[in-house]
Amino acid sequence: STPTPDIERRNLNVIDLGIKVAYEIGADRHPISLAELHEAYLRANPGIGKGRTRNSFDATVNFHTINMRARFPNPTDRKRSAPWLAKPAFKRLARGRYMLLSPDEIALFQQRVGENDPRVYKDEYTIEDLR
């Protein structure tokens, strides 16, 4: 038997569900706020337990955002393995404005990480800074 969408959803984690919803609301084409993303996340996943609060949801998105200070689990060891290195998903364009990284941007970012480019570990930068 094929799994129902609810069961599939339950097996996905907050960031995967968040990325899916971000595409649905156009975050690959224009900036969105975390509030917009969270509202869409709750609408798309009624009754979901994880990611219900804004604090936990926002923290999860920030952990997968490549260019903001909050992504460092340990600020004194910036190169420690972390979600934003393992699974980069978002970029912050301005305070409170986020977009999904394009496949090309993810490839560029991963290339720079592989090159041990120090710009990747700055508190804040733009994806254009890595070109």
Side-chain angles (χ1 to χ4, degrees), residues 82-121:
W84 65 278
L85 284 166
K87 186 175 190 161
F90 292 92
K91 61 185 174 183
R92 192 172 84 154
L93 300 179
R95 186 170 180 82
R97 306 305 289 168
Y98 294 74
M99 274 183 79
L100 284 162
L101 290 164
S102 72
D104 288 348
E105 289 170 336
I106 291 172
L108 172 66
F109 174 78
Q110 289 173 328
Q111 180 185 340
R112 295 295 177 252
V113 170
E115 295 165 356
N116 206 17
D117 190 317
R119 295 173 295 183
V120 168
Y121 301 97

Side-chain angles (χ1 to χ4, degrees), residues 8 38 40 56 64 76-77 84 106 118 120:
E8 287 174 12
H38 189 244
S56 73
H64 291 271
T76 60
D77 182 5
W84 65 278
I106 291 172
V120 168

Side-chain angles (χ1 to χ4, degrees), residues 27-70:
D28 55 327
R29 298 182 310 278
H30 58 80
I32 56 159
S33 71
L34 290 180
E36 289 172 90
L37 183 57
H38 189 244
E39 286 168 23
Y41 172 84
L42 293 177
R43 268 195 317 274
N45 301 286
I48 194 164
K50 50 196 167 188
R52 284 204 69 74
T53 69
R54 272 293 305 279
N55 281 350
S56 73
F57 183 82
D58 290 5
T60 298
V61 171
N62 286 335
F63 285 146
H64 291 271
T65 299
I66 63 163
N67 58 339
M68 61 184 300
R69 194 167 47 235

